[in-house]
Amino acid sequence: MAFDESGKIWFNGKIVDWKDANLHVLSHVVHYGSSVFEGIRCYSTKNGPAIFRLREHVQRLINSGKIYRMDIPYSVEEICQAIIDTIKINDLKQCYIRPVAFRGYGELGVYPLNCPVETVIAVWPWGKYLGEEAIEKGVDVGVSSWRRMAPDTMPNMAKAGSNYMNSQLAKMESITNGYDEGIMLDYHGMVSEGSGENIFVVLDGVIYTPPISSSLLSGLTRDSVITLAGDMDLEVRQEQIPREMLYISDEVFLTGTAAEVTPVRSVDKILVGEGFRGKITKDIQEAFFEVVNGTNEDKYNWLTFID
Ligand code: PPE
């Protein structure tokens, strides 16, 4: 994906040209990975562009900062407004939104608290995360030899840039081995999540997803899917999932802001069900896209219209 460099970026409260949104090479984040970020989507609806679960994403950004003693110097309201302003100034109908806060330029050394906290919001169009065909046909995944971080190593509930070094290992390994995505196990060997998605399994009509305690990011798409499945009278259990349950399940799908709801057609080259998108996955996808595209009633107030 190449960026359109004519866009504008929100940088510490000011709108700057795309090419001027730079930082010093001795910024703390470059050396020690000290950043927290979000991924949010804005969808084109009949009532104009609408941001999906904006407030909850921004709250998670603030929380990620809190875990790392990083005080982001803006309120939830201010960041929400800055995101809306950034979309408007870039005149985008639909886009991916990437707010990031990081420790900037001041001094080096592991101790971060003497470096300024900088905040940036960038927006750009981002199509289907795992390929155009993935939403219908599904993806092939492999269980990674890299585990998700043990609970007393790196906090998985923080969406921190440094967590994505672990994700990168899993992603590179999976692509090298011919898969589309890697699924990581947690410290206890139970299923955790993908390099950039949460995971769901359907077995005998019941939906399972690993609990927060399985070292995962508490995804907002995950939360939305649990809510939508409840509306459809489908049972969802947040339970530890052993690896082999992926092999014998009827359906598997991944969720995330970028990945949306993406079916999995094989795990470790073992076909999931018949090897194509299952009925429950399709029903959940439809319910999800109806909400985000504004074609169904927004009964949980998940959409923030920007006009
Ligand atoms: N787990 C991980 C590790 C993860 O990165 C994401 C989102 C999720 C779960 C799902 O969270 P949510 O978006 O709230 O449903 N990954 C973001 C970054 C992807 C990237 O490649 O960058 C995203 O989907 O925006």
Side-chain angles (χ1 to χ4, degrees):
M1 175 198 58
F3 289 118
D4 170 7
E5 297 183 336
S6 65
K8 305 274 186 200
I9 288 177
W10 189 97
F11 202 145
N12 292 330
K14 293 195 180 69
I15 297 286
V16 302
D17 285 341
W18 195 274
K19 290 195 162 166
D20 294 333
N22 303 315
L23 67 156
H24 197 276
V25 292
L26 296 183
S27 298
H28 198 271
V29 61
V30 177
H31 300 256
Y32 308 114
S34 22
S35 72
V36 295
F37 71 100
E38 269 307 315
I40 315 172
R41 271 193 196 266
C42 174
Y43 289 90
S44 172
T45 78
K46 62 181 187 310
N47 297 319
I51 308 169
F52 187 59
R53 307 204 67 172
L54 173 62
R55 231 195 128 76
E56 294 95 323
H57 276 285
V58 172
Q59 185 63 57
R60 190 171 68 183
L61 178 74
I62 303 283
N63 292 350
S64 297
K66 186 173 188 187
I67 292 168
Y68 280 99
R69 302 174 195 272
M70 184 192 287
D71 288 324
I72 299 173
Y74 301 96
S75 65
V76 170
E77 286 70 29
E78 286 168 331
I79 296 177
C80 288
Q81 189 57 51
I83 287 171
I84 292 169
D85 295 345
T86 310
I87 296 172
K88 281 188 173 166
I89 206 155
N90 283 285
D91 199 21
L92 290 168
K93 304 279 169 277
Q94 52 188 18
C95 59
Y96 184 81
I97 304 158
R98 171 56 56 83
V100 52
F102 58 88
R103 307 266 190 202
Y105 176 75
E107 60 181 39
L108 283 182
V110 171
Y111 184 73
L113 298 188
N114 293 326
C115 293
V117 175
E118 316 235 29
T119 315
V120 172
I121 299 161
V123 297
W124 66 86
W126 197 352
K128 297 298 173 206
Y129 187 60
L130 294 166
E132 282 301 325
E133 291 199 326
I135 294 283
E136 238 177 81
K137 297 229 160 82
V139 292
D140 302 307
V141 306
V143 174
S144 177
S145 65
W146 293 102
R147 297 265 182 111
R148 206 65 178 135
M149 292 80 73
D152 51 357
T153 60
M154 308 269 289
N156 285 289
M157 284 185 82
K159 195 170 170 65
S162 50
N163 289 359
Y164 289 80
M165 291 298 272
N166 172 256
S167 287
Q168 287 178 54
L169 289 168
K171 185 82 191 189
M172 290 187 290
E173 181 189 56
S174 65
I175 299 293
T176 303
N177 289 339
Y179 298 114
D180 300 305
E181 185 56 283
I183 305 300
M184 284 173 281
L185 305 180
D186 69 9
Y187 175 69
H188 302 288
M190 306 302 275
V191 173
S192 177
E193 61 178 345
S195 76
E197 313 86 3
N198 293 118
I199 188 165
F200 286 77
V201 167
V202 182
L203 182 57
D204 296 331
V206 177
I207 303 176
Y208 299 84
T209 196
I212 305 293
S213 55
S214 288
S215 294
L216 47 88
L217 181 72
S218 178
L220 284 156
T221 320
R222 174 183 180 276
D223 178 74
S224 307
V225 162
I226 291 170
T227 303
L228 293 171
D231 288 351
M232 295 155 73
D233 287 328
L234 294 165
E235 188 185 347
V236 184
R237 295 193 199 150
Q238 299 187 45
E239 277 178 18
Q240 289 189 332
I241 297 178
R243 174 181 186 158
E244 64 275 20
M245 194 165 152
L246 302 176
Y247 303 152
I248 60 169
S249 60
D250 303 313
E251 305 180 29
V252 176
F253 60 90
L254 305 174
T255 66
T257 297
E260 299 170 305
V261 179
T262 300
V264 171
R265 63 183 174 197
S266 72
V267 180
D268 295 338
K269 304 211 162 96
I270 298 175
L271 284 191
V272 174
E274 305 290 315
F276 49 80
R277 175 174 64 181
K279 172 159 191 326
I280 290 180
T281 305
K282 185 163 184 273
D283 289 348
I284 300 248
Q285 276 185 322
E286 276 170 13
F288 175 79
F289 285 116
E290 277 172 12
V291 175
V292 298
N293 293 324
T295 49
N296 206 346
E297 182 207 357
D298 179 23
K299 70 176 189 187
Y300 301 107
N301 278 314
W302 283 342
L303 299 180
T304 301
F305 291 90
I306 76 167
D307 293 323

